[in-house]
Amino acid sequence: SAVISQKPSRDICQRGTSLTIQCQVDSQVTMMFWYRQQPGQSLTLIATANQGSEATYESGFVIDKFPISRPNLTFSTLTVSNMSPEDSSIYLCSVGLGWEQYFGPGTRLTVT
Amino acid sequence: KQEVTQIPAALSVPEGENLVLNCSFTDSAIYNLQWFRQDPGKGLTSLLLIQSSQREQTSGRLNASLDKSSGRSTLYIAASQPGDSATYLCAVTDTNAGKSTFGDGTTLTVKP
């Protein structure tokens, strides 16, 4: 199994600012995933982060808005840039180990 | 592109009832299917994982089945309890890419 921690757990930010979310895993993993869960909705994949290469973004998400770092096999960051109220969501990181997907506790972001 | 649908969107039952949640998906290639529980404002708790080669998994009062040929999975909850009240999410994972596609969830309310 995998234990995933995220920082911060929640934040309230002003429009136009940026927030960096950290994700730490207790195992070395090749791929880490970032998801967004908007209020009342399900999870949508933002991007896949591989160590040593550029992140791969899903349709509708771009690197300028959601830059991702993956400096090693246990850590990743997601930055939400130039925030607007529409970015208010829960952001979750995830890894796959064996056959199972594991999720962090999420970062609840509110943009005012 | 994989699409995952969950029916019903919401369900309210009296305590003690047995119930079935449904999940359907469009691409039945080599995928794993995982059921999660999400409590309000919280992260995801994995309930059951069914590998693509399996038909069924059981854990306590929960039983999940998978029929790849029809693109369907069901989550059966026996003798429901108020503590089962939560949103249940079905996720289909591409085992090669490692990324998951989520349904919109079923919000379950079990009344005492």
Side-chain angles (χ1 to χ4, degrees):
Chain A
S1 65
V3 177
I4 304 174
S5 59
Q6 287 185 232
K7 290 181 182 179
S9 58
R10 58 178 61 226
D11 207 341
I12 301 173
C13 301
Q14 291 198 345
R15 180 194 300 258
T17 62
S18 297
L19 175 71
T20 296
I21 302 168
Q22 299 179 8
C23 177
Q24 180 76 50
V25 188
D26 68 345
S27 304
Q28 292 187 337
V29 292
T30 303
M31 291 187 286
M32 296 177 74
F33 305 91
W34 287 97
Y35 289 83
R36 179 177 74 180
Q37 186 175 29
Q38 294 178 300
Q41 298 189 25
S42 191
L43 280 76
T44 301
L45 180 65
I46 298 172
T48 302
N50 291 327
Q51 196 269 333
S53 64
E54 293 276 339
T56 303
Y57 290 82
E58 298 297 305
S59 175
F61 298 96
V62 294
I63 187 171
D64 290 346
K65 177 66 176 177
F66 298 101
I68 288 171
S69 78
R70 183 77 201 276
N72 58 52
L73 291 174
T74 62
F75 187 80
S76 177
T77 67
L78 170 75
T79 299
V80 186
S81 303
N82 188 25
M83 288 184 284
S84 66
E86 292 70 36
D87 294 320
S88 297
S89 299
I90 300 174
Y91 293 85
L92 301 99
C93 69
S94 170
V95 303
L97 270 184
W99 298 109
E100 198 157 349
Q101 297 294 307
Y102 297 89
F103 285 80
T107 296
R108 181 181 291 274
L109 170 62
T110 302
V111 183
T112 60
Chain B
K1 179 184 175 184
Q2 179 75 266
E3 292 183 4
V4 180
T5 304
Q6 291 188 244
I7 295 173
L11 182 62
S12 180
V13 300
E15 182 177 4
E17 270 204 10
N18 303 325
L19 58 100
V20 174
L21 308 181
N22 297 290
C23 172
S24 62
F25 48 95
T26 55
D27 185 348
S28 60
I30 308 300
Y31 291 95
N32 294 330
L33 190 140
Q34 201 162 349
W35 284 92
F36 293 90
R37 168 186 173 139
Q38 186 174 33
D39 293 284
K42 305 291 186 182
L44 302 179
T45 300
S46 179
L47 298 174
L48 289 167
L49 165 70
I50 309 178
Q51 296 177 33
S52 60
S53 60
Q54 297 176 328
R55 286 183 164 266
E56 192 175 13
Q57 284 290 332
T58 298
S59 176
R61 294 182 294 108
L62 305 180
N63 175 274
S65 66
L66 174 64
D67 184 345
K68 284 185 59 181
S69 61
S70 65
R72 295 178 185 272
S73 175
T74 60
L75 178 66
Y76 175 83
I77 301 177
S80 58
Q81 303 171 358
D84 294 332
S85 298
T87 296
Y88 291 81
L89 294 165
C90 164
V92 179
T93 301
D94 181 332
T95 52
N96 290 326
K99 56 185 180 181
S100 300
T101 303
F102 281 80
D104 287 338
T106 294
T107 298
L108 172 65
T109 303
V110 182
K111 298 178 180 178

